[in-house]
């Protein structure tokens, strides 16, 4: 059985990112392949979907991941 998608293919975020398909899923997140309409390039979009009890911990983990990628 396939898990329910949070974003459907074709959905557009921030009038910029067009969702193509889901490419991964973890405990608190779903990763999608998307088209960045401004750059004309494919990008990965990570959507946090933690249960409310751990949302703050998940946000901090994501902040650290973003900082590591930027570095």
């Amino acid at each position: 059985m396939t898990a329910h998608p949070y974003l459907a293919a074709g959905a557009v975020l921030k009038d910029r990112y067009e969702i193509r398909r889901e490419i991964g899923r973890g405990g608190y997140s779903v990763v999608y392949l998307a088209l960045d309409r401004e750059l004309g390039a494919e990008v990965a979009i990570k959507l946090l979907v933690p249960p409310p009890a751990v949302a703050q911990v998940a946000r901090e983990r994501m902040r650290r991941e973003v900082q590591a990628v930027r570095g």
Side-chain angles (χ1 to χ4, degrees):
M1 183 165 110
T2 303
H4 173 72
Y6 289 90
L7 297 173
V12 178
L13 304 175
K14 300 270 190 179
D15 293 323
R16 178 173 178 174
Y17 303 101
E18 182 179 336
I19 301 301
R20 298 293 175 104
R21 62 184 172 84
E22 183 178 314
I23 57 176
R25 187 176 285 242
Y28 298 141
S29 63
V30 180
V31 180
Y32 293 91
L33 176 67
L35 173 67
D36 181 330
R37 292 175 165 183
E38 283 186 21
L39 299 177
E42 290 186 327
V43 297
I45 302 288
K46 188 171 188 177
L47 177 67
L48 288 177
V49 290
V54 296
Q56 182 61 39
V57 172
R59 279 192 296 274
E60 180 59 26
R61 181 180 299 158
M62 174 63 80
R63 187 191 67 73
R64 288 193 307 267
E65 285 183 25
V66 168
Q67 300 241 325
V69 169
R70 285 183 178 167

